Each structure stands twice: as structure tokens, then as C-alpha cells.
Amino acid sequence: MGLEMSEISNYKSSVVLSKLASNEQHGENSPYFDGWKAYDNDPFHPENNPNGVIQMGLAKNQLSVDLIEDWIKRNPKASICTNDGIESFRRIANFQDYHGLPEFTNAIAKFMEKTRGGKVKFDPKRVVLAGGATGANETLILCLADPGDAFLVPSPYYPGFNRDLRWRSGVQLLPISCKSSNNFKITIEAIKEAYEKGQQANVKIKGLILTNPSNPLGTILDRDTLKNIFTFTNEHNIHLVCDEIYAATVFDAPQFVSIAEIINDEICINKDLVHIVSSLSKDLGFPGFRVGIVYSFNDDVVNCARRMSSFGLVSTQTQHLLAAMLSDDEFVEEFLIESAKRLRERYEKFTRGLEEIGIKCLESNAGVYCWMDLRLLLKEPSLDAEMSLWKLIINDVKLNVSPGSSFNCSEVGWFRVCFANIDDQMMEIALARIRMFMDANNNVDENGILKNKQQWKRNNLRLNFSNGEYDENVMSLNMMSPNSPIPRSPLVRARN
């Protein structure tokens, strides 16, 4: 009896690919990534496709990119690809030491100090470079754990952790459940509960991972909470990994507190169990430069991570340029102040617009996103209802926002919406679409589908860029824009 074509295809795949290559642990089959696919298939363009999907699922900080561009124009010598900087070409192009350019690791250490208010010092010799925070996180996990080991992580947490921390390392993530009843704050009781569950299941728990400031909540951990968590991990002799890649996005009080500050405050502690992940992707808006940092207080981890870094080095051309930029103290100080100001203004404007149409967000003071509460729009408090609402927002409202379930949130109805990767006009269009959606919300059937989709199309708003006003136009919701200038978002895009 002959084999069916599908059977032959599956057989060939199983023969050709490794178990790692063919497993489903990457996390790509998630609504978080499905939203990006919807955007890729129908990207918004102000002229060619004004009814396309607006990308609000991408945590990029693009509000101050003009400040970076101005600095580059004023400092052509920083690039080895200009007449002014060509004299450094040979040295930089031939450098391949995985310790990194000394001037760059020095500049990174100084920058980490500045983004933490100058309250702590960082040793350049402990700075290990990696290919973005994705590479930094995986490198650190590979140094600390074996396949099957587990890390506790407060939920909701960044969906990419399933890829960054689990996929190739084989470790497990055990959620620490955080609730809306106390604004999703981490409690020692919840940590103990998660830890005890892991032990009862005979899982070897190697550490606890914090994202501070939080992705997706946009909140920061106060000093007392950090101390309590640090005390817990030290007492149980497990690692504490602090992902601090949003440190410079804190735009309002209270001030950010790094785990490095807590270490300075404590005396009887084991510093070897503490590690920090940082990057330039969010603080400066450089995700494409792929600059991630592992900073560990453990000498063995530093040495091992540095050896591993040879698999994901930061290009020396990037190091050379950024070393000059980050060593410009006046520019860095002005940039951090202005960036925080712009983030605060955008956050206030966007959340105020949501409040005007009856949508609340978790109060936050950091990050490039809001944790939006749409529980009142659910037909019932279930995952199916959340998915129905999310599909409606993607397919009809044409906004890519990420459902809370993709962040492993224990409560349905919460959505992360990013506000710093689009310009002011696009934000106004997004708010207008949400406003119309709220107005039409009572006109939804039992399956969460608009009863009169043609009416939705007729009312769909298009921004008139000639006069800055809105007018009503019937536009096809299926228009495509193959030449859209809006950046594409491949699934391998790192750390969003």
C-alpha cells in the first residue's frame, strides 16, 4: 500500500530535521505572533492602504529617533563608512575579540550607571555582549541551568520568553500568578506558592526571573518588593535574573530601582546568584543594532557567557559608532531627559484618549505600551471570549494589539497596546478606530462578529493628510500595500 503525499512529507521532515528544529517550543503559534502576521499581510499605509492593520503589537521606542539622527549628522567620524571616519576602518573591521572593544564596554558600563540615576557603579570587565537581549537572556540561561530545570517568572510576562529562555535550552518556566486585584503586584505569598508547586512536581528550580520595568505592565518594582524577592532567592539558594532592558523608559515617578542598588544595600548576601540583562533596543530605540548585555556578579558566569558570546557577537562597526555616542555625556544626558518627556506625553495623550471612550488602563510609569482593560467587552469571562474579541479587533478594527493570554495572564480581558512605535497621526487614527468600535460594540452577535460589517466599512475613518481632518470614506478592508514604508515585522524580530 502506497504512502499518501502528506505522510511522505511528514516522514521526510522527521528524517531531515532535528528534534529541536521540528518541535513547537519556539512559541510562534501564539496570538502574539499571529497579530504580526496579520499586520504583515495587510500593513497600514497613510496613502496606499489607509484601512490596513496598524501595528500596535510591537514594543519599539521610536519617539526620539530624530535626536539620534541629529547626533550622527554632527559626528560623522563615529562611522567608519564616512570620509571622516575611514581612518579607523582597518582596525575596526579586523577586530574580532569577543571581549568587545574596550571603549565600548566602558561606554556601556557608564550608560548603565546613567540610566539608573548614577546610584550604582558597573564594572566594564563584567559587561558581556550578546546579540540583543534575546541572545543575552538565552546565554545567561544556558550558563545557569540544564534541560528540565525551571525558573519562576511573574505572570503576565513577555511572550518571547518562551523562545528566548525555553526553546533551545530546554528549561521550564513556572508562572508566579499576579492578580488585577492588587494591580498585578508580585507578592511573596505568590512566589512561595509557585515555588512549592514546582517542588511538589519534583522540578529542579534554578532561579527566578524578573522583568523590571515590567513588560507588559509598564510598572516598576519598589525597593521593598525587590528586597523581599532578593531575600527569598538568597535563602533558597536560587538565582535571581533581572531583565532591566526598559530601565531608561521610566517617564514618571517613582524612580527606577535596579537590583544592583539592592545588592549595595545588603551585607550578608551571595552576589554570585544575581545577574542583570540589559540592552540598547528600548532605552535608545536600537533593536536593529542587536546590542544585548549580560552583567553578572558571578565570575564563573561572566567567563562562561563571554565564551558563549562568540556565537552572537555585536559587530565592531556598531560598537565603534555607539562607543562614541555613549561617551558623549552631554548628549546622553539630554537624550534621556527628552526621551522620558516624550514617552510621558505620548502615554498621557493615548491613555486620556482611551479614557474618553470608556477604556481604562493599568496605571503605569514606564515602558512603551499600556496594559488595557477590555474585560467589560467580553461576552463572558473565558479564554474563548477573549480570543473572539481579539479576532474582532484584528480583523475588523484593524489594530494589532496583543491579548493577555499570550502573556500568560491568569485573567482574561487584558490587552497590551504599544504607543511609541507610531507617529501622532497614526495614533489619532488608532484612537478613532477604537472609538468607532466602542460605539458599535452593542451591534455584535453571540460569536463576537459585527452584525452589519458594511456599516462598519462605511463608517471607517480615513485621515485626510492635506488638512489634518477626518472624513468618512468607504475603503476596502482588504487593500494591500506591497510597497509600504512601514517596517515589516518578521517573526525572528527580537525582543518586542
Side-chain angles (χ1 to χ4, degrees), residues 197-215:
K197 282 183 179 180
Q199 289 208 312
Q200 291 170 5
N202 293 320
V203 176
K204 187 175 183 180
I205 298 175
K206 293 300 294 285
L208 188 153
I209 297 171
L210 295 177
T211 303
N212 184 33
S214 169
N215 177 10

Side-chain angles (χ1 to χ4, degrees), residues 384-402:
D384 286 343
E386 180 179 279
M387 287 295 95
S388 294
L389 177 60
W390 172 71
K391 289 175 183 177
L392 182 64
I393 295 173
I394 284 282
N395 296 326
D396 292 294
V397 188
K398 293 300 187 78
L399 298 178
N400 175 28
V401 299
S402 306

Side-chain angles (χ1 to χ4, degrees), residues 105 108-110 112-113 116 120-129 136 140 240-242 244 258-260 263 271 273-278 292-298 301-302 305-306:
T105 53
I108 286 291
K110 285 179 60 179
M112 290 178 67
E113 293 169 10
R116 288 151 181 82
V120 288
K121 295 291 183 182
F122 291 92
D123 184 356
K125 294 180 181 179
R126 294 191 176 278
V127 172
V128 180
L129 303 179
L140 191 49
L240 179 58
V241 177
C242 293
E244 298 184 349
S258 170
I259 194 63
I263 290 178
K271 288 186 177 182
L273 295 173
V274 182
H275 323 277
I276 296 173
V277 171
S278 188
I293 298 110
V294 172
Y295 189 94
S296 177
F297 295 90
N298 185 316
V301 171
V302 170
R306 185 160 285 131

